[in-house]
Amino acid sequence: MRVAVLSPEAVPYSKTGGLGDVAGALTKALRRTGRADVALFVPLYERVERSLLDKVVFEGLEVEWAGRRYIVKVWYSEASGAPTFLLDLPDYFARPGIYGYGDDHERFAFFSHATLVSLKLLGGPPDILHCNDWPCAFAVVELSRWRAHDPFFAQTRTLLSIHNLAYQGIFDASLLPKLGFQDQQTIDLFLKDGAASALKAGLMAADWLSTVSRRYALEIQTPEQGYGLDWLLRARRDRLVGITNGIDYEVWDPETDPFIAAHYSAADLTGKSACKVDLLRRFGLPLEPSRPIIAIISRLVAQKGYDLIREAADALLETGAYFIALGAGAREYEEFLQSLRDRAPQQVGVYIGYASEALAHQIEAGADIFLMPSLYEPCGLNQMYSMRYGTVPVVRATGGLDDTVEEFDRARRTGTGFKFRDYRAEAMLESLYEALYCYAERDLWRAIQINGMRQNNSWEAAAQRYLDLYRAIVG
């Protein structure tokens, strides 16, 4: 089966969040099954390390689009573990960031179109065009039109994966003709509340839809988390599947991780103590490893529960635990974290910004508790990284967090973490207090750690579920 995966980001080339991890890891896992001829397509951004690129496959790919003729260089790489084609057009992609530009709709509409053009020159047609999030929804819409008159794509079926429904690619509908969408039937696919939504068009045009956890597939069909598209997702629920993301154990494994101070395993947790001391040193905190470390790594946005953390800040400090945060985002949350650090410099460590991947690994290895009080969370990866590293997650029971974290049962010593349901600071603190009580009982805490470290959240299992879905779509 031939599968073409389109993503606006993918590790190790580009990443702003979980989508980058997913796109890179899934294609590698699919290739390893030996049951899919998979290729990954991503833009070549300014931030991509050129040492990752192997060769140029097209020096001058001619792309006619929006009344203009573009010349695109296409690079090839296998640094992700799967064949990857990176489309190089400096006018659109040679910028410091990946998103956040006024012409993002145009940039990704071009990427989608150019990828379809390149596919026709790279061998036989794909059986599945697997597109990720709104930036690649343009390709779904284009292909649905091309199939009617282009024999090359006549049998290609489309899957659109929703990683976060809140991001819908909204832009001025009057710009649709410029992007090549001129007939009224296609324009109607995009229209939402007087504007154009790339995601809405993709959801309507795709053969099948998927999202990144079973729970999130249900949540997005409700008005509370449907962001104005719940009616559409309910209408298409027979073509909507939730597949929980996996994690790449080659990258996230405390037994082999090159970024951490000492290696350890479920059989021997000794090295985790060395990682904890190393983390305290990195943040200039007192070397008192008996005190628990509560950590969070996330974008600094309301979705991640920072309103709850801000409300509970005094109570957090009163526990005596260290608090370490890594991330960047909204200025109000950056200022809050900095002020918290200023108030308690011997207890709080903060890194504002997108640090190297190494620091994220060091936090996962050195922390005791990982906090994820998300308002909503389509899947989440850090709770799975944390369990692998013997760092106990405290999460809100939403989306993939609810699917992947099992509430710890003291009597039976089963479960992998602690969950709260109500989006309230008091509920979050109750779960944190319970975790801290268990931390004080070392045998009990070790049991939770080992339970988490023995979970199988590998991409191999998730890749098999995607293969089953691909077969159903083709069938």
Side-chain angles (χ1 to χ4, degrees), residues 5 25 60-61 77 79 83 100 125 127 151 181 237 259 279 286 309 351 368 379 381 405 424 467:
V5 178
L61 176 67
S77 171
D127 298 294
F181 303 109
R237 61 183 176 270
F259 297 124
L279 183 62
I309 295 172
Y351 187 103
D368 298 294
C379 178
L381 297 174
V405 177
R424 297 183 298 110
L467 284 170

Side-chain angles (χ1 to χ4, degrees), residues 42-121:
V42 291
L44 182 68
Y45 299 106
E46 183 177 277
R47 64 172 63 181
V48 176
E49 291 185 25
R50 271 35 184 185
S51 61
L52 298 174
L53 307 179
D54 296 331
K55 62 182 179 180
V56 175
V57 291
F58 297 122
E59 185 67 43
L61 176 67
E62 294 187 11
V63 179
E64 298 285 343
W65 185 73
R68 288 183 56 189
R69 177 173 168 271
Y70 295 83
I71 303 298
V72 180
K73 183 182 290 188
V74 181
W75 293 81
Y76 178 82
S77 171
E78 290 199 18
S80 67
T84 303
F85 298 91
L86 299 99
L87 277 64
D88 182 7
L89 185 71
D91 287 354
Y92 282 142
F93 303 120
R95 304 179 187 183
I98 294 177
Y99 312 108
Y101 300 97
D103 62 346
D104 277 355
H105 60 283
E106 185 175 332
R107 298 167 66 228
F108 292 112
F110 175 82
F111 166 67
S112 295
H113 179 83
T115 298
L116 294 178
V117 172
S118 66
L119 278 168
K120 298 187 73 171
L121 302 174

